[in-house]
């Protein structure tokens, strides 16, 4: 079914046959900024997603999640009839490139699940034409692009396969797509050239490499970031176990010292990408990615370390503890793989009650208003450093702030 044709909305007069390109997973966190960037560049985009609800939200002019600057671009794209919405593979556009931005999870053993990509391709393939450009943009296990090319060949199909990874920060994709060099790779020179031409319409700079190099570059980018967070979290733990205030150490390390500029603050390193991609790399390296595995132990272990520390300092069993910020990071509404929920679970067995709040998250019925949580809690924990918490004083109640973020709170660290 062609969604655009189903409702008398702005895009009704544009059919899927008019689309210049298709974004598969176009209603997702990577898909939406990409769709809007191409629409802004003048393309008519087929926004293809299995999630009908997300497409309806977009079609009504709203974003399903926070994406800075997204609503204005969406309104413009709808007004200019640049978007078509489809949910069925049979409606995929046979005209123009197809870009895959679906989720690529790891399984319970932290191994990549290639079947997700394979199932998606199997569903689309009967509706694609030979010679069409097929771009993988999801983060993939090294070798997936070559595998896809061979897979298509074995089925007697001849599409141009490319891998052009997404590297923007979630929630700020629209801004970052304009500023971030785009890594481009293709299995054949023709695929590479066509992908480069496509992305030159929205990216400020292209970095053209081989598919395997592009796959590693994306995974190394994320694993490096995850290891940086782990280093910061371990420094914090070492200083704390020595009875030293890490905030003061952190300031001494960084102030006007260029080589420490990039040292991040300690904090909950969570979300759907960093740990998953580090573990994909570990799986690729036969679980011999010692730095990556160590980073996971440190980052995932921070919550338990903090619980242990609080248990030594307070009689938690009589306390109500409030968690501030349930999103996986600051100023977004996404709770996927948020360590705030690990905190909630770990504390549940230790304290009288746990209360949670978040100004952005809309998907958790247990959340309470901020004032309620502050008023009813004996102790607060800053889980996600949302900007609006920065200047609050929390009524003098103790707040555990690993991040070193709060200005006016009665901070314990
Ligand atoms: N979220 C980020 O900031 C970010 C940044 C860089 C890279 N990535 C990578 O991008 C990929 C997508 O991540 P995301 O956060 O956008 O995921 P997401 O879950 O937000 O979006 C994926 C979308 O794909 C749709 N979908 C799934 N299977 C489909 C299919 N077969 N056909 C059509 N639609 C389908 C889903 O309904 C969903 O809307 C992952 O590989 C991720 O690792 C994510």
């Amino acid at each position: 079914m062609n969604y655009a044709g189903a409702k008398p909305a702005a895009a009704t007069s544009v059919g899927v046959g008019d689309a210049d390109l298709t974004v598969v997973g176009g209603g997702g966190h990577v898909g939406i900024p990409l769709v809007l960037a191409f629409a802004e560049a003048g393309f008519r985009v087929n926004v293809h997603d299995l999630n009908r609800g997300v497409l309806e939200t977009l079609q009504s002019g709203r974003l399903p999640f926070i994406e800075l600057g997204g609503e204005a671009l969406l309104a413009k794209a709808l007004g200019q009839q640049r978007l078509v919405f489809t949910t069925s593979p049979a409606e995929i556009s046979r005209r123009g490139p197809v870009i895959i931005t679906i989720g690529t999870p790891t399984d319970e053993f932290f191994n990549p699940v290639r079947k997700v990509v394979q199932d998606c391709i199997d569903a689309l393939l009967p509706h694609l034409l030979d010679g069409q450009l097929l771009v993988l943009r999801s983060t993939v296990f090294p070798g997936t692009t070559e595998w896809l090319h061979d897979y298509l060949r074995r089925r007697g199909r001849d599409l141009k396969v490319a891998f052009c990874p997404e590297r923007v920060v979630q929630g700020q994709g629209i801004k970052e797509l304009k500023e971030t060099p785009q890594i481009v790779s293709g299995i054949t020179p023709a695929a590479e050239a066509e992908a480069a031409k496509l992305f030159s319409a929205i990216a400020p700079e292209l970095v053209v490499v081989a598919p395997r190099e592009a796959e590693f570059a994306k995974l190394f980018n994320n694993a490096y970031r995850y290891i940086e967070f782990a280093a910061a979290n371990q420094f914090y733990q070492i200083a704390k176990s020595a009875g030293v205030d890490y905030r003061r150490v952190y300031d001494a390390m960084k102030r006007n010292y260029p080589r420490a500029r990039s040292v991040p603050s300690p904090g909950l390193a969570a979300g759907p990408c960093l740990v998953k991609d580090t573990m994909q790399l570990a799986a690729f390296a036969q679980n011999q990615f010692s730095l990556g595995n160590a980073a996971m132990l440190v980052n995932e272990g921070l919550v338990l370390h903090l619980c242990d520390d609080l248990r030594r300092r307070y009689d938690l069993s009589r306390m109500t503890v409030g968690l501030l910020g349930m999103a996986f990071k600051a100023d977004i509404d996404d709770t996927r793989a948020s360590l705030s929920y690990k905190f909630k679970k770990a504390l549940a067995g230790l304290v009288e009650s746990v209360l949670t709040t978040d100004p952005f998250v809309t998907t958790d019925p247990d959340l309470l208003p901020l004032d309620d949580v502050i008023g009813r809690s004996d102790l607060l924990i800053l889980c996600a450093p949302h900007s609006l918490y920065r200047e609050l004083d929390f009524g003098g109640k103790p707040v555990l702030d690993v991040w070193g973020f709060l200005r006016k709170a009665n901070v314990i660290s």
Side-chain angles (χ1 to χ4, degrees), residues 73-228:
L73 281 192
L74 177 62
K76 193 169 162 197
L78 289 170
Q80 293 177 333
Q81 304 195 346
R82 294 211 188 282
L83 305 182
V84 182
F85 299 91
T86 62
T87 56
S88 157
E91 296 168 297
I92 203 89
S93 173
R94 288 167 171 258
R95 216 165 75 85
V98 173
I99 307 175
I100 310 284
T101 67
I102 64 170
T104 47
T106 49
D107 66 13
E108 69 273 39
F109 309 111
F110 296 122
N111 290 315
V113 190
R114 190 164 66 196
K115 193 172 180 316
V116 174
V117 178
Q118 187 171 330
D119 287 350
C120 173
I121 298 297
D122 284 346
L124 299 176
L125 200 52
H127 313 289
L128 297 174
L129 287 182
D130 281 352
Q132 230 174 329
L133 178 68
L134 183 60
V135 181
L136 282 175
R137 190 162 184 78
S138 305
T139 307
V140 295
F141 190 69
T144 302
T145 316
E146 287 160 29
W147 165 82
L148 177 57
H149 174 73
D150 292 345
Y151 184 76
L152 296 175
R153 281 288 162 100
R154 287 200 300 279
R155 272 146 195 77
R157 300 302 305 271
D158 186 20
L159 285 94
K160 300 190 191 94
V161 177
F163 174 62
C164 305
E166 181 60 86
R167 294 190 297 164
V168 300
V169 167
Q170 190 166 316
Q172 298 180 34
I174 286 165
K175 178 172 165 283
E176 289 214 346
L177 277 170
K178 288 195 182 121
E179 298 167 353
T180 311
Q182 176 62 52
I183 295 175
V184 169
S185 70
I187 290 285
T188 59
E192 180 188 286
E194 219 173 287
K197 184 165 178 242
L198 176 66
F199 281 98
S200 65
I202 59 165
E205 182 185 348
L206 303 183
V207 185
V208 180
V209 289
R212 192 64 77 106
E213 293 165 343
E215 291 165 346
F216 276 129
K218 170 62 196 176
L219 289 177
F220 287 167
N221 272 147
N222 272 8
Y224 187 76
R225 190 80 181 124
Y226 193 63
I227 290 166
E228 280 187 319

Side-chain angles (χ1 to χ4, degrees), residues 284-296:
F284 180 82
Q286 312 289 331
N287 281 326
Q288 300 306 306
F289 181 23
S290 46
L291 269 178
N293 285 322
M296 190 192 59

